[in-house]
Amino acid sequence: MPIHAPKTVDVEAGMAVLKQSVTKLTNILEGLPELPFNTMEYMLLCTCVVSTDSFSLSLLSFLRLMMDLLLSLTIYDLCTTKSADDIGGKLYAEYKKSLMDYLDSRVLPSLRSKHDEYMLKELVRRWLNYKVMVRWLSRFFHYLDRYFVKKKALLPLKEAGITCFRDLVYEEMKGKIKDAVISLIYQEREGSQIDRPLLNSVVEIFIQIGLGSKEYYKVDLEARLLQDTAAYYSRKASKWILEDSCPEYMLKAEERLKQEKDRVDHYLDHTTQQKLIENVEHQLLSVNEIQLLEKENSGLIALLRDGKVDDLERLYRLFSRIPEGLTHVSQLFTQNVKAEGTALVSQAENAASSKRAEKRDAADSPQLVLIRRIIELHDKYMGYVQESFQNHTLLNKALKEAFEVFCNKSVASSSSAEMLASFCDNVLRKAGSEKLSDEEIDRTLEKAMKLLSYINDKDLFAEFSRKKLARRLLFDRYANEDHERLILTYLKQQCGGQFSSKMEGMVTDLTLARENQSCFEDYLNVNPHAHPGADLSVSVLTTGFWPSYKSSDLTLPDEMVKCIEAFKKFYESSSKNRKLSWIYSLGTCNINAKFDAKSIELNVATYQAAVLLLFNSADRLSYGEIKAQLNLTDEDMVRVLHSLSCARYTILKKAPMTDTVIEDVNKDRRYAVDAYIVRIMKSRKALGHQQLVLECIQQLSLMFKPDVKLIKQRIEDLITREFLERDGEDLNVYKYIA
């Protein structure tokens, strides 16, 4: 049967029903003895007709259905009277008054009586109850919310309820609430276990009372938290920096940063994380950055020195977080690398100075030792940059700046470019002192080429390398052609094709020369009458690829002439319109020399062989006779005869045993060096030391092979005689005095 709706109540009766319902709800929330709303009470609040003709509902289902459908309340009857606006205003005021009375009579007294964590727990409990009350009252006054509130542009009922709590409870208690929250956070920072869910619930109150804005959370709680955090970690940092080593301090700082992030994850709003972490980073890292990094025996330099990889990684993780955090790290890094590298150069300079009084193997050359140690130094610090510092651009730049300083220093008049070229030559030569496997050679060459990137005079390195490559190729001193091509590939990658093209042509020339030599031998086998009577190996080279070599009008002995003519006939038969220019200074000969005691096979230069062959027809020859027969200059005569008669192994006997000729030639050489230096400087006006030395060597090589030390001595003499002067800003630059 149908349930008939109750009669509509009048205004005063309706208000009485509402007040009674609010009181009943308050008692239920407070846990006071109170019966639940029965059917009749609820129906007094609700005006609705539900038909049960087709089915019957239990009381509980009936009430739930009525709640879910948000049926119109007694407010409907009140709001549909003729004076609806006046009554709506009274109802809205009654709604707020009901909440304010509840807060003032029940909530505030309970909060005032409690303190610290107990007060926070009571706050959370009261807040949850209050939200239940707001939710129920919003349902009671639902019709008011739908029509009257919208019409009058008032706060919706739920928001008005939150505002009541904020204005009455929050404004009075916020100071105690903040103090209690900060106190619990302090206790947790000091190692105590706290009720994190409680703090999370309190933080939610700060956020929810903002009605969509986090202003109350930010102004009232977050600002205080950040201020307290700064003070807390300022005290901690001041204590740790005095007591702990740099690694110990960093461990504590890293752990505290993790704890603060965890704190945000568990009970603070996520918008606080960046500000909180930056706050801690500033106090623990930025404020004490210099003092921490420069700590004696444990700071950055000590960590680099002792290879503390884990600590260096932690240092990078921490200081990469703060603004300009890696700037001071990179400065100290540069300073330390520069100091170590400069010390290696000084050690090499001292070793080179003392070497004159000692006889050492080439492997112990201070210059080669220096390059080897610089490569080891680069391996060490590049490892730090790539692994500990995550290959950061700033640290790569710092490493480059440091190596550019000491990688451009000279040792005993040897430029860095020359030393590096000599090191590579030593690695690539058959008889080099670097006894390495093929894989080790590849790695060593790659590392050497990395050093080249720090050297300013790359063109000088290329020229020294080209001359050393020429000697390796022409005198069969190279260990592996693949390695020769590999270093050219590295050079091309490092400096560009203009630096490697000539040397690539040289290697190709050598391959072609071997093929040409094979053809020559086949030619002699087919034409035995053309055989010169001695074995001959000729390398035909392309002029543009190879260094310039001194050519002379040496008159060869007959034995050598036959060999030359035999090859000429072969070459002219296979290559038309090509002219051969013979460079005797690069040739070598194996000669069987018959001494009184025994016969010995001598490996000598072509000039030496030409002189020795003259003694097949004479036991004694004068200086003038040798010069006339071979058409040699005095320069060449002195050099060749001195090597055969005054060297470690004496082949020719000299009479008398004086060196006046050599002294005269040396005097002429000094005059020649002076003249060329002045001529070069007069045309160039200003020139760096290395460039001046290189140009002197190139121009004087047509007369003799000048000694670098002699050139340096002549430069100093010309400065003394005021032909030249040093530049005021760069002492390695010379100026011509007009």
Side-chain angles (χ1 to χ4, degrees), residues 226-244:
L226 295 176
Q227 180 183 359
D228 187 78
T229 298
Y232 177 83
Y233 282 110
S234 177
R235 295 191 300 271
K236 287 293 182 184
S238 299
K239 182 173 181 290
W240 296 346
I241 200 69
L242 296 175
E243 297 175 352
D244 299 327

Side-chain angles (χ1 to χ4, degrees), residues 34-63:
E34 186 70 69
L35 294 174
F37 286 102
N38 58 36
T39 306
M40 184 56 67
E41 288 172 329
Y42 198 87
M43 289 181 66
L44 283 173
L45 292 169
C46 304
T47 302
C48 179
V49 176
V50 178
S51 173
T52 58
D53 286 342
S54 57
F55 57 89
S56 61
L57 297 173
S58 67
L59 177 61
L60 181 60
S61 299
F62 171 72
L63 291 175

Side-chain angles (χ1 to χ4, degrees), residues 362-620:
D364 293 327
S365 162
Q367 290 87 342
L368 294 184
V369 172
L370 173 63
I371 297 298
R372 203 177 301 124
R373 288 180 176 173
I374 289 179
I375 287 176
E376 292 169 356
L377 187 70
H378 191 264
D379 284 347
K380 173 184 174 182
Y381 283 99
M382 182 55 79
Y384 291 151
V385 170
Q386 292 179 341
E387 296 173 17
S388 299
F389 298 121
Q390 301 297 306
N391 213 20
H392 194 279
T393 305
L394 203 58
L395 272 301
N396 270 297
K397 183 181 177 183
L399 184 71
K400 182 174 183 291
E401 288 177 358
F403 270 78
E404 283 177 343
V405 172
F406 55 82
C407 279
N408 286 287
K409 292 184 178 293
S410 299
V411 173
S413 300
S414 295
S415 67
S416 56
E418 182 181 1
M419 290 188 287
L420 185 59
S422 298
F423 177 82
C424 294
D425 178 61
N426 191 43
V427 171
L428 292 165
R429 277 192 289 117
K430 282 181 182 178
S433 60
E434 303 289 335
K435 305 301 181 184
L436 305 171
S437 66
D438 288 345
E439 292 77 11
E440 290 171 332
I441 289 175
D442 291 350
R443 287 196 295 270
T444 302
L445 293 176
E446 183 180 10
K447 292 174 181 178
M449 289 300 97
K450 286 180 181 177
L451 292 191
L452 178 61
S453 66
Y454 306 122
I455 293 177
N456 296 332
D457 300 325
K458 294 179 177 62
D459 55 345
L460 195 59
F461 170 82
E463 188 58 27
F464 278 120
S465 295
R466 190 161 70 103
K467 290 182 177 180
K468 292 180 183 299
L469 172 62
R471 296 189 69 81
R472 290 197 303 275
L473 297 179
L474 295 176
F475 299 114
D476 194 24
R477 294 176 181 171
Y478 64 95
N480 187 309
E481 189 172 323
D482 290 339
H483 293 150
E484 298 291 352
R485 294 189 181 277
L486 179 64
I487 192 173
L488 295 182
T489 300
Y490 288 144
L491 183 60
K492 188 174 184 178
Q493 293 171 348
Q494 189 72 247
C495 305
Q498 72 274 19
F499 283 89
S500 62
S501 58
K502 289 185 178 180
M503 286 183 272
E504 289 170 341
M506 291 164 62
V507 176
T508 302
D509 263 3
L510 190 70
T511 302
L512 297 175
R514 286 197 295 265
E515 296 174 359
N516 195 59
Q517 178 65 24
S518 180
C519 293
F520 176 56
E521 292 172 359
D522 292 341
Y523 167 80
L524 293 179
N525 290 333
V526 174
N527 302 281
H529 62 279
H531 201 288
D535 293 334
L536 175 66
S537 177
V538 179
S539 295
V540 180
L541 311 176
T542 305
T543 305
F545 294 150
W546 297 78
S548 299
Y549 295 109
K550 177 182 176 182
S551 60
S552 66
D553 297 325
L554 173 66
T555 301
L556 296 174
D558 291 341
E559 297 91 336
M560 291 184 172
V561 171
K562 290 178 182 178
C563 294
I564 296 293
E565 292 300 325
F567 188 82
K568 277 185 177 180
K569 287 182 180 180
F570 156 74
Y571 192 75
E572 289 171 356
S573 66
S574 59
S575 303
K576 304 296 183 182
N577 302 322
R578 289 192 180 183
K579 180 183 178 182
L580 290 175
S581 177
W582 295 85
I583 309 297
Y584 301 127
S585 61
L586 298 177
T588 60
C589 293
N590 289 336
I591 294 179
N592 289 320
K594 295 181 179 179
F595 296 94
D596 292 338
K598 59 180 179 179
S599 295
I600 300 176
E601 183 176 311
L602 303 176
N603 180 263
V604 294
T606 302
Y607 280 56
Q608 293 173 319
V611 171
L612 292 175
L613 287 174
L614 296 179
F615 286 89
N616 280 338
S617 57
D619 292 332
R620 184 184 181 92

